[in-house]
Amino acid sequence: MLSNRISDRIRIPAPAIFLVAAAVASDLVPALGRVPVLTVQRVVTVMLILLLFDGGMHIGWRRFRAAGAAVLWIGVAGTAVTTLGVAVLAHLVFGFDWRAGLLLGIALAPTDPAVVFSVLGRREIAGRSGTLLEGESGANDPVGIAAMAAVLAAGTAGGWHAVGAGVAEFAVEMVVGAVAGVVGGYLLSLAMRRLPLPNGALYPLQTLLGAGTIYGLTTLAHGSGFLAVFVAGILVGDIRAPYKMEIERFHSSLASLAEIVAFAMLGLTVSLTGLAHGNAWLIGLALAVLLALLVRPVLVGLLLLPIHISRGERLFVMWSGLKGAVPILLGTYVLSAQVTDADRLYQIIVVVVAFSVIVQGGLIPAVARHVNIPMRILEPEPWALGMRFRDEPTGLRRYQITAGAPADGCTIADLALGEDAWISMINRGGLHVPVRGDTVLQSGDEVLLQTEPHNGTDPQPLFTQPRA
């Protein structure tokens, strides 16, 4: 039941453990800290491809369609206003020049899919807030990475010409990335459904190769490969395809491994003793507090006003702007570009990320409880029933009941399925529910529906679309 609340205590997210452990190891074994920054960037880039593709599949087209406009609005506009807010604070409060402040703002604006999916991935959250946060973390990463590349590329130029060139490059990356993601996702879905492979174990590798190809070709076309991969993952997330469950499990496992590798590699670039020198740690801590308690609540809170969500969901989204691997990766771009005072900027970024992951991420359950957001841990479900078919079973469908849909709160006998469709199995919170006429269906129930193949009526709106 959604009313089962998780405990109010702080839970330190796993990415924080990997980051701190790698940073400590790099201080204890100095050879570990001498990994070239370019190598770290390449490894983390591959890990982000895996994370964004899996994150897109986890959201799926149905969930994204219901909140797509809000996700894009928060992902793009939220990144812009957060960048400006941090830049103003860095310049007026901490004395950085405008270019350094802008670089800090761009690096710290994106939320991070590794942290968000790690914190929210095993939790079921009522309402739209979970989809908003997951979608935002996937959408704003390509925006932040493209913006950082544009600013660094125009670093030696000045005036409005440099601004125009940066904006034009950013726009090209976003448009090409979005188009490539749609085209790549469509072609990958066709391959998943219609390209027969000699062994079932090859189907997950097919999607992995597809995601890598989409990223590579989009990047060669001067588009955002990260955006393309995320969009492609969304488009293939809900399709019916052979070995789809194995594909999802494979990418979920790869994403978990990618999270560990990304934060471990980034942790090797951090020197804890270096953070102690100077006042970078103090500026980073002050900036982290202002970002969490002032910049995001005020600026992103204003952007949330036109979105139809409850007050509790609004507060939850305002708090949950978690930073992580992507801001640190953007910080390594600053190091590679040999920007003035780059080491100090990087140290500040690391401190902000550490605060966000440990404090903000750790308090997510407590904040959800205090703003009345029903949240519960999704327990593992090790038992499964299933049968394999040579051809696609057109008369067999699986749906998860959406809150407010006609099936939500309706008995099976009163559900307008007609004579050619019937429910054969119900999964409620990992438990099997007997199928009887007086069984009341609930939001979150996963139902297995059988229909006559010749029946032209689409039963999906009964389970997934809110009542008019």
Side-chain angles (χ1 to χ4, degrees):
M1 297 289 291
L2 284 175
S3 58
N4 296 333
R5 309 286 178 84
I6 54 181
S7 67
D8 206 18
R9 64 179 183 270
I10 293 179
R11 297 171 181 266
I12 298 178
I17 300 174
F18 304 135
L19 182 67
V20 173
V24 172
S26 66
D27 277 355
L28 295 177
V29 184
L32 294 175
R34 291 196 287 268
V35 178
V37 173
L38 183 59
T39 300
V40 174
Q41 290 175 354
R42 289 171 175 170
V43 172
V44 175
T45 294
V46 175
M47 298 304 105
L48 278 178
I49 294 171
L50 301 177
L51 283 164
L52 288 171
F53 186 72
D54 176 70
M57 289 184 64
H58 177 71
I59 295 173
W61 174 245
R62 292 194 188 100
R63 288 180 65 199
F64 182 81
R65 182 175 56 186
V71 165
L72 294 177
W73 172 242
I74 297 299
V76 178
T79 303
V81 298
T82 304
T83 297
L84 293 177
V86 173
V88 170
L89 285 176
H91 179 69
L92 298 181
V93 178
F94 302 107
F96 289 94
D97 62 58
W98 280 111
R99 184 164 186 263
L102 183 60
L103 293 174
L104 275 177
I106 294 174
L108 295 174
T111 55
D112 186 68
V115 178
V116 171
F117 296 147
S118 176
V119 172
L120 303 182
R122 293 188 59 245
R123 292 173 171 86
E124 182 178 77
I125 305 172
R128 303 171 66 192
S129 53
T131 304
L132 278 176
L133 290 171
E134 292 176 0
E136 178 196 15
S137 69
N140 63 16
D141 288 343
V143 174
I145 293 171
M148 179 64 77
V151 170
L152 291 177
T156 57
W160 290 106
H161 176 73
V163 174
V167 171
E169 182 178 347
F170 172 80
V172 168
E173 286 209 27
M174 292 295 99
V175 172
V176 173
V179 173
V182 172
V183 175
Y186 174 73
L187 295 177
L188 181 57
S189 66
L190 288 181
M192 292 169 64
R193 290 177 57 86
R194 299 183 182 180
L195 182 62
L197 298 176
N199 191 300
L202 296 177
Y203 284 84
L205 297 179
Q206 178 191 54
T207 55
L208 177 61
L209 177 62
T213 302
I214 290 170
Y215 175 85
L217 293 178
T218 305
T219 303
L220 289 176
H222 302 288
S224 172
F226 295 109
L227 179 60
V229 167
F230 183 63
V231 171
I234 291 174
L235 294 181
V236 304
D238 292 333
I239 68 168
R240 291 160 55 90
Y243 298 95
K244 183 64 181 303
M245 186 172 294
E246 286 81 358
I247 291 172
E248 292 174 350
R249 289 174 178 169
F250 174 79
H251 282 281
S252 178
S253 299
L254 274 185
S256 298
L257 178 61
E259 173 189 303
I260 296 173
V261 173
F263 277 89
M265 291 296 294
L266 291 170
L268 295 178
T269 66
V270 178
S271 171
L272 297 181
T273 56
L275 294 178
H277 294 132
N279 59 352
W281 69 272
L282 187 59
I283 295 176
L285 186 60
L287 189 58
V289 173
L290 290 172
L291 183 58
L293 301 181
L294 178 64
V295 175
R296 183 173 174 90
V298 172
L299 299 182
V300 176
L302 290 174
L303 296 180
L304 289 172
L305 290 178
I307 300 175
H308 297 292
I309 54 178
S310 67
R311 178 175 177 272
E313 290 176 311
R314 200 179 307 277
L315 293 173
F316 185 67
V317 173
M318 288 160 57
W319 173 259
S320 304
L322 306 180
K323 315 304 176 184
V326 172
I328 300 180
L329 176 64
L330 294 176
T332 64
Y333 293 163
V334 175
L335 286 176
S336 299
Q338 298 180 343
V339 174
T340 303
D341 211 11
D343 289 335
R344 187 164 173 244
L345 295 177
Y346 186 68
Q347 292 169 357
I348 292 171
I349 292 169
V350 170
V351 172
V352 174
V353 169
F355 175 90
S356 180
V357 175
I358 296 172
V359 178
Q360 284 184 273
L363 288 174
I364 285 289
V367 172
R369 181 181 182 88
H370 286 297
V371 299
N372 296 318
I373 297 294
M375 176 188 287
R376 70 182 181 91
I377 294 290
L378 293 176
E379 299 295 342
E381 299 175 358
W383 299 99
L385 297 175
M387 299 177 66
R388 293 207 176 272
F389 301 91
R390 181 180 300 108
D391 299 318
E392 180 182 357
T394 54
L396 194 62
R397 306 183 184 185
R398 184 177 64 182
Y399 302 108
Q400 186 169 19
I401 299 177
T402 302
D408 183 15
C410 181
T411 63
I412 293 179
D414 294 332
L415 192 62
L417 286 174
E419 298 181 356
D420 295 330
W422 60 96
I423 295 175
S424 60
M425 188 175 294
I426 304 173
N427 177 359
R428 177 175 299 164
L431 300 176
H432 176 252
V433 176
V435 180
R436 297 191 297 263
D438 59 352
T439 298
V440 179
L441 300 173
Q442 300 178 5
S443 63
D445 285 356
E446 187 178 8
V447 299
L448 192 64
L449 186 75
Q450 291 180 274
T451 63
E452 292 291 342
H454 63 271
N455 184 12
T457 304
D458 184 11
Q460 178 181 335
L462 294 174
F463 302 95
T464 63
Q465 296 184 10
R467 299 180 183 91

